[in-house]
Amino acid sequence: MKKILCICFSPTLQKTISFENLQLAKVNRSKKYIVDASGKALNSARILNQLENGCVKTICPLGKENASFFAELAEKDNLNLSYVELPGFTRECCTLLDRINNTTTELVISEPAENLGLPENFKAPEKELLDLIKKTILEVDGVLLSGSRPAIWSNKIYPEICKYAEENKKIILADFIGEDLLNSIKETVPTIIKINDEEFCKTFDLNYPLSEDELKNQICKKSMELSNIIIITRGEKSTFGSCKGSLIEVQSEKLIPVNTTACGDSFNSGFIYEYLNTGNLNSAMKKGTWCAACNAKKERPGTIY
């Protein structure tokens, strides 16, 4: 069994609330709701564990005020969670599902910045978190680092994780953008970069949108330059992948979505699981696409069954 470490710096208590017909400026009564330990890499971890029970480890920081509840939810999903406590609360996110119109609306409720204090206050937790991550990297075959980096963490933390994984010959899938991705590439190029088309253009200073042919050319050019794998997801459109300049295109499944939350995270799960087990890019892209489609058909985010 291949072991995978999922790292999440933006964990979330996710409430998925289903309505028959959601209307603004009205009283809306829900049909039901689900609460999950969530955040990008945690959604991925839940699916990885469904693909193969026991294959995943997860690490994240948690606000101490609701850390125990978050950990209980993670334990129910067998996410093998380790965490570092921080002051305050872990953020919450409400996903509103309109079943008649098949729409998904997300409301992210972050901890107020004034409750957290200065970034200098987080030097000790950052070291504790990095030490835990580095120790666990040695125990796994692959690493999934996904999601945004909150400002309380230094801009060196993502590059340091990527470099440590590479030094220890671990496959790493990087699903983050902008400055953090560019800084990581300066230190060491992640094995796999997964990004959507708009984020790809903005990160690498390209015009957006590009034509399909130009986008294909640019992904091949960039993966050749970096000598790695780049995957570009495009929602309902086909997914492009390039390994050192060679292009693969995989069609997305046509469907009516129930909940589009965590579809990108679901793709990550299928991709890294299949790639670690087969080393085949085409097979990994197809597995990721299948996981994303399965997730879109479910009310609960980060699930394929």
Side-chain angles (χ1 to χ4, degrees):
M1 178 190 297
K2 299 292 186 180
K3 293 280 190 177
I4 301 162
L5 170 62
C6 294
I7 306 169
C8 182
F9 279 84
S10 298
T12 302
L13 277 168
Q14 181 93 32
K15 293 183 179 179
T16 304
I17 312 168
S18 181
F19 298 88
E20 190 64 35
N21 183 18
L22 184 64
Q23 300 180 62
L24 293 178
K26 300 279 187 179
V27 174
N28 294 271
R29 301 190 185 279
S30 65
K31 293 174 62 179
K32 65 176 181 178
Y33 77 93
I34 310 162
V35 183
D36 286 301
S38 189
K40 288 182 67 63
L42 285 144
N43 294 330
S44 298
R46 186 156 47 250
I47 288 181
L48 281 164
N49 200 55
Q50 292 171 9
L51 290 170
E52 186 170 6
N53 188 35
C55 76
V56 71
K57 296 174 181 282
T58 56
I59 293 177
C60 66
L62 294 177
K64 66 179 181 180
E65 301 298 333
N66 53 4
S68 60
F69 178 54
F70 192 103
E72 287 171 13
L73 293 173
E75 186 176 358
K76 288 180 182 178
D77 289 330
N78 195 24
L79 300 188
N80 198 2
L81 174 68
S82 299
Y83 63 92
V84 171
E85 283 195 355
L86 304 177
F89 290 83
T90 304
R91 71 176 183 171
E92 297 185 9
C93 179
C94 295
T95 300
L96 312 181
L97 304 180
D98 184 332
R99 297 308 305 272
I100 287 181
N101 295 304
N102 296 308
T103 60
T104 302
T105 302
E106 287 200 69
L107 307 174
V108 181
I109 309 161
S110 297
E111 175 78 350
E114 59 267 22
N115 291 357
L116 298 175
L118 299 172
E120 288 78 8
N121 298 340
F122 291 87
K123 287 184 178 179
E126 181 167 311
K127 183 181 184 306
E128 184 181 356
L129 197 55
L130 264 175
D131 288 346
L132 177 60
I133 289 168
K134 288 181 176 181
K135 176 179 179 293
T136 310
I137 282 175
L138 300 177
E139 302 168 358
V140 300
D141 302 286
V143 179
L144 171 58
L145 175 56
S146 63
S148 59
R149 172 185 56 85
I152 60 172
W153 308 110
S154 75
N155 60 7
K156 297 178 181 178
I157 196 164
Y158 278 23
E160 188 167 346
I161 292 168
C162 291
K163 184 176 181 181
Y164 191 79
E166 191 274 337
E167 287 174 346
N168 286 280
K169 296 179 171 54
K170 310 296 182 180
I171 287 173
I172 182 163
L173 191 160
D175 182 7
F176 49 90
I177 62 173
E179 177 191 11
D180 284 324
L181 180 55
L182 294 174
N183 286 341
S184 297
I185 288 171
K186 289 175 185 176
E187 286 290 334
T188 185
V189 177
T191 320
I192 303 147
I193 294 171
K194 202 279 290 208
I195 195 167
N196 70 36
D197 52 348
E198 183 176 3
E199 293 165 346
F200 175 77
C201 291
K202 288 183 177 179
T203 298
F204 295 110
D205 198 25
L206 301 169
N207 292 327
Y208 176 82
L210 296 173
S211 69
E212 283 208 350
D213 286 343
E214 185 58 25
L215 183 59
K216 290 176 182 178
N217 288 336
Q218 289 295 339
I219 183 179
C220 290
K221 180 180 177 181
K222 183 57 66 174
S223 71
M224 176 75 79
E225 174 190 328
L226 299 178
S227 190
N228 77 334
I229 294 170
I230 298 178
I231 306 296
I232 294 186
T233 54
R234 305 186 300 145
E236 297 176 353
K237 298 178 181 178
S238 60
T239 298
F240 297 149
S242 180
C243 178
K244 301 178 182 178
S246 297
L247 183 77
I248 293 176
E249 182 175 0
V250 172
Q251 297 298 322
S252 299
E253 181 180 335
K254 303 301 180 184
L255 54 85
I256 298 175
V258 174
N259 185 359
T260 56
T261 305
C263 284
D265 310 328
S266 306
F267 180 94
N268 290 345
S269 303
F271 184 95
I272 195 168
Y273 178 84
E274 187 71 13
Y275 191 77
L276 277 172
N277 281 283
T278 68
N280 185 289
L281 177 57
N282 187 53
S283 176
M285 289 176 63
K286 288 180 177 178
K287 189 75 167 185
T289 300
W290 178 79
C291 286
C294 289
N295 177 81
K297 298 173 186 176
K298 308 295 182 185
E299 285 193 346
R300 188 185 188 201
T303 186
I304 55 176
Y305 301 122

